[in-house]
Amino acid sequence: MNLATLSADQVEAERLMTVCNSCRYCEGLCAVFPAMELRRAFPAGDLNYLANLCHGCGACYVDCQFTPPHEFKVDVPRVLAAVRAGSYADYAWPRAFAGLFRRNGLVVSLIAALSVALFVAGFALVHDRSALFAVHVGPAAFYKLMPHNTMAALFGGVFLYAILALAMGLRAFWNDIGAPDTRGVETGSLWQAIKDAGSLRYLDGGGVGCHNDDDQPTDTRKHWHHATFYGFMLCLAATSVATLYHYLLGRQAPYPWYDLPVVLGTLGGIGLLVGPVGLLRAKLKRDPLLRDESRFGMETAFLAMLFLTSLTGLALLVLRATPAMGTLLAIHLGVVFALFLTMPYGKFVHGLYRFAALVRYAKERKMIEAGHGEA
Amino acid sequence: MIDLTQRFDVLVAGGGNAALCAAIAARRAGASVLVLEGAPRFYRGGNTRHTRNMRCTHDSATETLSGPYSEDEFWEDLWRVTGGRTDEELARLMIRESRAMLGWIAEQGVRFQPSLGGTLSLGRTNSFFLGGGRAMLNALYRTAERLGVDILYDAPVTDLDIQDGMFLSATAAIGGKPVEIRAGTFVAAAGGFEANIEWLKEYWGEAAENFLIRGTPYNKGALLKLLLAKGVQQVGDPKQCHAVAIDARSPKFDGGIITRLDCVVFGIVVNRNGRRFHDEGEDFWPKRYAIWGRLVAAQPDQIAYILFDAPSLRMFMPSLYPAIEASTIRELATKLTLDPDALAATVEGFNAAVVPGTFDHTALDDCRTEGLTPPKTHWARRIETAPFYAYPVRPGITFTYLGTRVNKDSRILMSDGKSSANMFAAGEIMAGNVLGQGYAAGMGMTIGSVFGKIAGTSAAANARN
């Protein structure tokens, strides 16, 4: 093995996987260890695969007889978290932006602040005070402040860029983690991964619950993550329905409170308020031994962006018939713009890479069950 | 804060599977219980930390067991591995009670999984703990705490007040200070003395200095020594211990399961002089696994080297430490600081004696040597394809057999043959009642759980009278 190609975190992960592979007591806890058992050597791509397969439930730490202060110093959740975070930069597209993952909290905060400032300033420059602080109601009220086509072009543009950058990163990850003969995807593995990701199957400590604060399996991150994830998906659905309304039915935003885009957006918004707060609280209470401190900024920044997106969106909904609407719209659009722009360069990518790792694992499971596995 | 001035119904010394099963059973029977674990919290549980399964009788396949395991079969297995050196009444009691143990232990929060990769031969007989022994232990501790069992760590028992077979009080070092603790009954479940090198030397001489101890450094046998000194009847051969050949590069203590090497069958084993000393193809795992520790202990400097060649490298579980590699046997000898001429002669002699056969490491195949002493009776293949590999191995001591004699209530017997009024023992400290010698995987945990539960139940009943 050429150690020069591994990062310091990967070197440590490789050491741990060698220790774990000679033990295997944890193989019933999650997907990481059965995948490990199929291997004897752990090159960078495989370590990134295992790291993204790990959901950080902490069970293997609590169950391990070799954790610190034992001289083997086995701490799989923390080390794989560090490798995982490193992998986000490894696969960033374009390569030149990989550095954005360093001091990511600061980067995301600056972009968000700048984006909000530009939208507010833009609104202020284009409109006189009377229009900006006037009460606008009825269909197309938002577009009196920003023409629909401008809005669509700006957000469609940044959205497409984000999709492109994410797709390129995902492609690089997939090629790096897959043995050449297993790169194809069939629907069975895809469906299995959708079920595993959608239920957070591997965030339950092998069935008893996760460990976060200490060795009691009382972790509730699964619920907060569901609130966040499904909240995000509902918001995405709200936007999609609204887009269909606009182009297919010719109905212009804002919509009444009982209409589908508003209902979906409100429910999703509540999830995006509650979920990130719960996840942040869990993060602050997490056992320091399980925590990868250096990535705290990146994780907090992503939670903050989701929370702010929802908060500004709901504020806009509640106050859209008041003179505050203009300012709130500018702030909300600024936050959403920054969210899209930073998506490929922040914690958002964890979902894609973990999903891809789960697809790969579903394929490997089939190989194990068919008896082709090494173990 | 635990009130140590109170008189507990049951005092348990020890913190492993047997101790916790006793504590939980006694607490469930209504007794007040204090557990004194001599080790710090991280190292709690002694050898239980490193276990992974228990052997219990069951009538049919389950979600995690591939088939039935009858009482008779269990008894036959126990009889075979001990060579009949067992207390039949206690052994049969244990086997009978093991049937209910799978359910009982699951009720205490312990979870099971199908047998681990590489242990298919145990998939029918042994129930594997999900997450291993420490996970099992964590579940027992959580349950004990929830039920209101008081637990102290770093609290080794340093003295016992026993009069006419009656326990009155124990002295424990708590926060470094001696504290006298009174209790109605006493359960001794503090393991064996495998980590006490000085004690091992009494039976093994200086050779014991070269033993590696697979469990924690806290298994010193202090409680066992106290009990034997205070008139408790001894059971078991003091020289008997469960010893396997483990990687010589392992830590002195607590290397656990991962230092094991199960590749003897794929090559030859030589001593410090570069000479073979036993038939490497004698038998299957796990039998061969359990004899090589003692074989290596009998060699000069208590060290040996497993040698094999390239085709065998991936035929066994990956090892913790990499195999030492060389392109020739002589170069390998140099790396191992063995005499190159002697090693080359041994390998040449072995290769010349190998007769053609069909290699099958899952069966007692027909690959063997002819005219070689000692022979290799199965799985003998020439060691001829570079690179060549070696693992240095030393005896790894798992547990000891010397203990306290008990009756079917797990009650301690005194050296005059009378049973103690209020003292009980469970786990490794009394395993010698059932295991006179030999071992089969998972029996230690069965002894711990079954006799732990019996001891706890008996102690609670005793305390009420």
Side-chain angles (χ1 to χ4, degrees), chain A residues 19 21-25 27-28 40 62-67 69-72 205-208 215-217 374, chain B residues 41-42 49-52 111 113 116-117 130-132 134-135 138 142 251 254-255 257-258 260 314 316-318:
Chain A
V19 173
N21 213 7
S22 62
C23 174
R24 304 187 169 185
Y25 281 15
E27 69 174 27
R40 290 215 171 207
V62 174
D63 291 351
C64 176
Q65 57 275 42
F66 302 120
T67 54
H70 195 285
E71 62 187 281
F72 291 153
V208 78
D215 60 10
Q216 299 291 323
E374 203 203 272
Chain B
R41 192 177 191 279
F42 174 76
R49 281 165 55 69
H50 295 291
T51 62
R52 57 183 186 179
R111 297 176 300 151
Q113 65 160 85
L116 290 163
L130 181 62
R134 191 170 175 221
N138 290 343
R142 276 198 290 273
D254 214 46
I257 189 95
I258 66 178
R260 73 187 180 289
R314 282 170 171 256
F316 49 90
M317 278 268 293

Side-chain angles (χ1 to χ4, degrees), chain A residues 84-156:
Chain A
R84 191 158 62 238
S87 75
Y88 302 157
D90 288 350
Y91 304 113
W93 184 89
R95 292 296 307 140
F97 288 173
L100 295 179
F101 280 97
R102 247 178 290 132
R103 309 194 68 190
N104 187 260
L106 183 67
V107 168
V108 172
S109 310
L110 285 178
I111 291 174
L114 196 66
S115 172
V116 170
L118 284 176
F119 271 89
V120 172
F123 274 35
L125 283 175
V126 171
H127 304 287
D128 55 37
R129 287 174 61 92
S130 61
L132 193 55
F133 295 109
V135 174
H136 303 278
V137 287
F142 297 144
Y143 309 131
K144 288 174 186 147
L145 290 164
M146 188 172 194
H148 178 266
N149 286 346
T150 312
M151 206 188 277
L154 204 55
F155 282 85

Side-chain angles (χ1 to χ4, degrees), chain B residues 226-308:
Chain B
L226 267 177
L227 288 167
L228 296 181
K230 295 199 180 248
V232 165
Q233 192 180 143
Q234 171 177 322
V235 72
D237 179 352
K239 205 178 167 168
Q240 279 288 337
C241 58
H242 183 254
V244 302
I246 65 171
D247 200 304
R249 297 164 288 183
S250 309
K252 182 76 179 170
F253 294 103
D254 214 46
I257 189 95
I258 66 178
T259 58
R260 73 187 180 289
L261 289 167
D262 188 38
C263 50
V264 164
V265 65
F266 297 106
I268 59 172
V269 183
V270 301
N271 62 15
R272 195 193 58 189
N273 303 322
R275 295 213 176 83
R276 292 175 60 248
F277 51 89
H278 194 84
D279 177 3
E280 299 89 349
E282 191 174 55
D283 208 343
F284 285 107
W285 184 91
K287 191 192 162 191
R288 65 166 180 261
Y289 182 63
I291 61 169
W292 279 91
R294 301 177 75 84
L295 291 171
V296 175
Q299 294 305 308
D301 291 346
Q302 293 71 50
I303 193 156
Y305 304 87
I306 305 171
L307 256 64
F308 56 94

Side-chain angles (χ1 to χ4, degrees), chain B residues 440-453:
Chain B
M443 281 192 187
M445 294 301 276
T446 313
I447 292 172
S449 291
V450 169
F451 288 104
K453 180 170 173 251

Side-chain angles (χ1 to χ4, degrees), chain B residues 364-420:
Chain B
L364 292 168
D365 69 5
D366 60 351
C367 293
R368 58 186 175 81
T369 58
E370 228 168 58
L372 191 69
T373 312
K376 184 173 179 185
T377 47
H378 303 283
W379 310 298
R381 291 186 299 175
R382 285 194 190 90
I383 300 170
E384 56 190 3
T385 312
F388 301 98
Y389 297 97
Y391 288 107
V393 290
R394 284 195 186 280
I397 312 300
T398 315
F399 62 84
T400 49
Y401 289 74
L402 178 69
T404 61
R405 189 173 286 286
V406 297
N407 69 12
K408 61 182 174 46
D409 297 325
S410 236
R411 190 181 291 271
I412 284 177
L413 301 185
M414 306 306 289
S415 39
D416 60 9
K418 286 188 192 135
S419 53
S420 164

